Amino acid sequence: MVILKTSRELSKMREAGRISANALKLAGKAVEPGVSTLEIDRIVRKYIEEQGAKPSFLGYGGFPGSACISINDEVVHGIPSKKRILKSGDIVSVDVGAFYGGFHGDNAWTYACGDISDEAQKLIDATRESLFEGIKQAVAGNRLGDIGSAIQGYVEARSYSVVRDYVGHGVGAKLHEDPSVPNFGTPGRGVRLLPGMTIAIEPMINMGTHKVRVLDDDWTAVTADGKLSAHFEHTVAVTADGPVILTMPD
Ligand code: MG
């Protein structure tokens, strides 16, 4: 069941989104060669807790971190570890959520660590732009397929592929609500978008095959062919005045 939010609830979600976005920005600033993914996780957790919020992911389904940190061929759900040390040339996807005032914000960004290859930078740029192509379609009266097809069309025109096994989602009092928000689809198909819907749009885009597999840690999803993957996410409200990004930093 899709839960529509009132404007009062949306302003609360904007607060949770702001904390999530600030935490993500801090994580991005910490991405540099020699830093462990656990150090980044600690920074995220400390900031969120200082705001009187809770890290949405900590303990979710047993997840041990406050951020998912996924490097290079890791698509999503990388577990922070003191043994994972970033090096120049890595691309680092950080996914962060915060729970505040009864609502979650959820967002992700892929950062360059040191000097990265041109091909890695192009993948990052295309994935980020595809997110904004998707957000443009988050308009009342459109359907979910309009969002998915905008993302898919943008990246496939650049010979990248869209992960199928993981998708975006409704977000609100629960981290994952209805509906599922695929990053692929057919224009004019799927659930109709209504004012008050709040969705996490989160393209996960691969350089090679769209296929992924999960590592033995039962969390980390990696590309089946070992090629790079990027991930960007915003929590977005569908309103009568068009799409509003709720995960905006200060
Ligand atoms: Mg999400």
Side-chain angles (χ1 to χ4, degrees):
M1 188 186 68
V2 174
I3 300 167
L4 301 178
K5 280 78 178 179
T6 63
S7 60
R8 194 159 159 271
E9 289 169 328
L10 288 183
S11 51
K12 286 187 176 181
M13 285 195 67
R14 199 190 290 266
E15 272 303 292
R18 186 182 63 81
I19 294 167
S20 309
N22 285 342
L24 181 60
K25 219 170 143 184
L26 279 175
K29 282 187 183 150
V31 168
E32 51 179 309
V35 172
S36 77
T37 57
L38 187 64
E39 287 171 70
I40 295 172
D41 186 73
R42 292 236 165 98
I43 289 167
V44 163
R45 181 173 180 172
K46 182 166 179 282
Y47 172 78
I48 291 173
E49 291 181 344
E50 279 172 359
Q51 308 311 305
K54 281 188 181 160
S56 301
F57 302 168
L58 188 61
Y60 187 91
F63 189 77
S66 297
C68 297
I69 306 178
S70 311
I71 306 169
N72 296 335
D73 64 322
E74 297 172 352
V75 179
V76 284
H77 303 163
I79 300 173
S81 163
K82 63 173 188 260
K83 292 181 190 157
R84 289 304 297 278
I85 310 294
L86 302 182
K87 56 184 196 313
S88 184
D90 285 341
I91 67 169
V92 184
S93 299
V94 183
D95 193 345
V96 169
F99 182 72
Y100 183 78
F103 292 95
H104 293 274
D106 189 5
N107 59 179
W109 204 262
T110 299
Y111 299 99
C113 181
D115 293 321
I116 63 168
S117 68
D118 287 348
E119 64 166 8
Q121 187 63 56
K122 280 182 184 155
L123 174 69
I124 288 176
D125 292 343
T127 306
R128 186 189 60 245
E129 290 311 305
S130 78
L131 168 60
F132 290 102
E133 290 299 311
I135 291 171
K136 273 188 219 163
Q137 298 298 321
V139 170
N142 273 2
R143 290 177 182 268
L144 277 178
D146 295 309
I147 295 175
S149 91
I151 292 168
Q152 182 178 20
Y154 188 87
V155 300
E156 288 185 352
R158 288 154 181 81
S159 301
Y160 301 128
S161 67
V162 175
V163 170
R164 306 294 202 276
D165 289 4
Y166 299 90
V167 296
H169 50 92
V171 55
K174 292 208 174 117
L175 180 61
H176 293 112
E177 296 183 349
D178 287 336
S180 287
V181 182
N183 301 297
F184 51 92
T186 307
R189 302 289 285 274
V191 171
R192 191 178 289 282
L193 304 179
L194 299 169
M197 280 178 73
T198 46
I199 52 177
I201 304 176
E202 51 175 321
M204 291 150 266
I205 306 302
N206 295 350
M207 199 166 265
T209 178
H210 69 82
K211 289 185 180 152
V212 302
R213 65 187 177 87
V214 177
L215 297 183
D216 288 341
D217 64 17
D218 287 335
W219 279 106
T220 315
V222 298
T223 58
D225 58 9
K227 292 187 178 172
L228 296 177
S229 185
H231 179 209
F232 285 79
E233 175 180 31
H234 269 307
T235 297
V236 177
V238 178
T239 78
D241 303 321
V244 174
I245 297 174
L246 298 173
T247 36
M248 289 297 281
D250 289 327

